[in-house]
Each structure stands twice: as C-alpha cells, then as structure tokens.
Amino acid sequence: MNNPNVDDHNLLLISQLYPNVYPPFVPQQAEESKPAPRRRRRKSKSVAVVEEGGDGSNGWFRKRKLSDEQVRMLEISFGDEHKLESERKDRLASELGLDSRQVAVWFQNRRARYKNKRLEDEYTKLKNVHENVVVEKCRLDSEVLNLKEQLYEAEREIQRLAQRVEGASSNSPISSSVSVEANHTTPFFGDYQIGQDGDCYENLFYSPDYIGGLEWMDHFTS
DNA sequence: TTGTGTTTTACGACCTCC
DNA sequence: GGAGGTCGTAAAACACAA
C-alpha cells in the first residue's frame, strides 16, 4: 500500500547520518575485476536490505526510492541543465545527503526518461500528421472520382448533341458542310480524349432522333 | 492476497572526448 | 587513460485489477 514509508524516512536519516554508507558495497564490484563476460551482467544485488532499527553495520541496504524532496531538488537541477559537471554533482550530493554516484545515476536515468518522452511526443506528432494526410488523400480521391463522373456525363451530353446535329444535317441542304466540319475539328475538350473510358467515335454522329432546323440549339441551352 | 504491469534505482559494457 | 555519456537490463518498489 502507499504507506508514506517510515522505512524510507529511516533510510533517509541513515543515509544522511552516514553519508558514506554506500562505499561498503564497492568491494562487491571489486570482486568482478576478474575477466567479466562481455555485455552480460551479474545478478547479484548491489544493494540489499537494512534491518529496520539496525545500525546498518551488519545489514544489507535495500534499494530505496529517493525522497520527494530529493527528487524535487534533482528535477529543478535537471531543469537548469541536463548534463552534470562534477562540481555540481558533488554539491547536489552533499546538499541532498546522497552519494555523488547516486546523483550521477539519477541524472543518467532522468536523461533516458527525457529522451523517451521526447521520442514518444515526436511519434505522436508524426502520427497525427500522417492521419491528416490520409484523410486529405481520401478527400482528394473522392473529388477525383466525382470529377470523372462529371466528365463522363459531359461526354455523353456532347455525344447526344452531336448525334442530333448529325440527324438534322442529313435532312438539310447544309448538312454536308456541318458534318464535314464536325468530323475535322479538334475535340471539344482539347487534349481530352473523348471515348477514352470505353466510348468510341463510331456512333458519335448517329442519332435516331431528329430535331428540325436549329431547335437543337434551344435544347443545348435549356 | 496475489499476479502482473509499470516505474525507479542501480550497474555493466561500451563509446566519445579531452 | 579517465571522466562522463548512452544503452540495455536487473531488481526493488509501487499500483492496481481480479
């Protein structure tokens, strides 16, 4: 449970009363001066439990959390500067009643957390940008589809009109000139290829319907 | 209470810089 | 070569659901 650790207070007190309480653990590391396996670490405890009420002389010191106040001070210091020069490290250590090694380790871990947080934020930002791009792509895709549809309708309308013109001209004395012109002018849409979607020119000017005279013009503008 | 996931403290290996 | 950095990980401490 979240018992505002009596234990922690004891340990803090101990650590302040015995500022060099950590060095005794160093010999354990000295043991490892024998050729160590590369990149693999020991499983032994570097710190162990201190018996409550004990003087720490025969007990192991367990790993303990730093007090809120210690963490607060360290955070302030980290806020000023993420790197830790030895002078500042020693000053902080003595101010907080910690071993300078602890201060160094705390800063190492704090930098790692900071880096992770930054990466996480960056990831979130990029993810949002990506999502927006995907949405915009969908919108553009549907716009393209819509425009294609309109284009197709326009083609069909042109075809219908052309067929009517053809029908009218075949029954009129001026028909030949109109149809010849219709057959030789460039496509209405310039570069656009009429019939590219499967339509063809074969029936372009064929119309079963007949609209007499220039009535088709009214039809076109209505 | 216990199992499990997360956070915090600590360290070894390795790298870089002066 | 030593100091101090990163990286990866162990293990204690903690939070919380079942």
Side-chain angles (χ1 to χ4, degrees):
Chain A
M1 304 303 179
N2 54 348
N3 164 14
N5 262 313
V6 177
D7 234 281
D8 274 354
H9 280 101
N10 288 341
L11 290 168
L12 175 60
L13 190 63
I14 286 164
S15 76
Q16 285 169 344
L17 287 173
Y18 305 98
N20 42 358
V21 83
Y22 288 95
F25 302 120
V26 174
Q28 204 175 6
Q29 296 166 350
E31 255 183 12
E32 295 173 6
S33 57
K34 53 189 155 189
R38 285 170 72 84
R39 249 309 175 196
R40 218 23 309 136
R41 43 183 286 118
R42 85 275 169 266
K43 283 214 161 185
S44 64
K45 290 179 179 180
S46 56
V47 285
V49 180
V50 64
E51 291 161 24
E52 239 180 292
D55 60 2
S57 60
N58 58 352
W60 290 94
F61 284 85
R62 70 173 184 183
K63 179 163 73 179
R64 66 169 187 81
K65 291 193 73 171
L66 305 183
S67 71
D68 291 348
E69 180 61 13
Q70 285 168 328
V71 171
R72 197 178 66 82
M73 298 300 285
L74 288 166
E75 286 287 356
I76 288 170
S77 185
F78 182 79
D80 287 345
E81 171 66 55
H82 293 190
K83 302 273 176 178
L84 187 65
E85 329 78 64
S86 61
E87 192 188 324
R88 192 157 67 110
K89 178 175 68 183
D90 293 338
R91 185 165 41 78
L92 267 172
S94 69
E95 276 173 16
L96 300 174
L98 294 171
D99 189 77
S100 62
R101 170 70 186 161
Q102 277 180 292
V103 174
V105 165
W106 188 91
F107 264 75
Q108 284 163 17
N109 289 321
R110 187 63 183 82
R111 278 192 298 270
R113 284 198 294 275
Y114 177 79
K115 186 181 174 184
N116 280 341
K117 177 79 172 56
R118 222 185 43 213
L119 287 174
E120 215 171 275
D121 290 349
E122 224 164 278
Y123 169 77
T124 306
K125 222 179 285 174
L126 285 173
K127 197 167 152 233
N128 287 337
V129 168
H130 176 257
E131 275 167 13
N132 289 338
V133 167
V134 166
V135 167
E136 177 65 2
K137 182 183 180 296
C138 281
R139 193 188 66 75
L140 290 172
D141 279 348
S142 100
E143 197 177 323
V144 164
L145 214 60
N146 192 30
L147 288 171
K148 275 186 174 171
E149 223 165 85
Q150 286 181 30
L151 198 55
Y152 177 70
E153 286 305 317
E155 273 176 49
R156 305 236 337 186
E157 184 62 23
I158 289 166
Q159 194 177 338
R160 272 197 300 274
L161 291 172
Q163 285 167 353
R164 284 168 187 165
V165 169
E166 173 66 17
S169 63
S170 67
N171 288 331
S172 137
I174 58 164
S175 65
S176 59
S177 65
V178 172
S179 67
V180 165
E181 192 168 340
N183 276 315
H184 289 86
T185 48
T186 39
F188 186 73
F189 285 114
D191 288 344
Y192 176 69
Q193 302 265 318
I194 294 177
Q196 67 180 354
D197 287 336
D199 291 350
C200 56
Y201 290 100
E202 285 167 25
N203 300 319
L204 192 59
F205 298 109
Y206 170 75
S207 173
D209 303 321
Y210 169 72
I211 300 176
L214 292 177
E215 282 174 23
W216 64 272
M217 286 284 279
D218 298 335
H219 182 81
F220 184 73
T221 53
S222 65

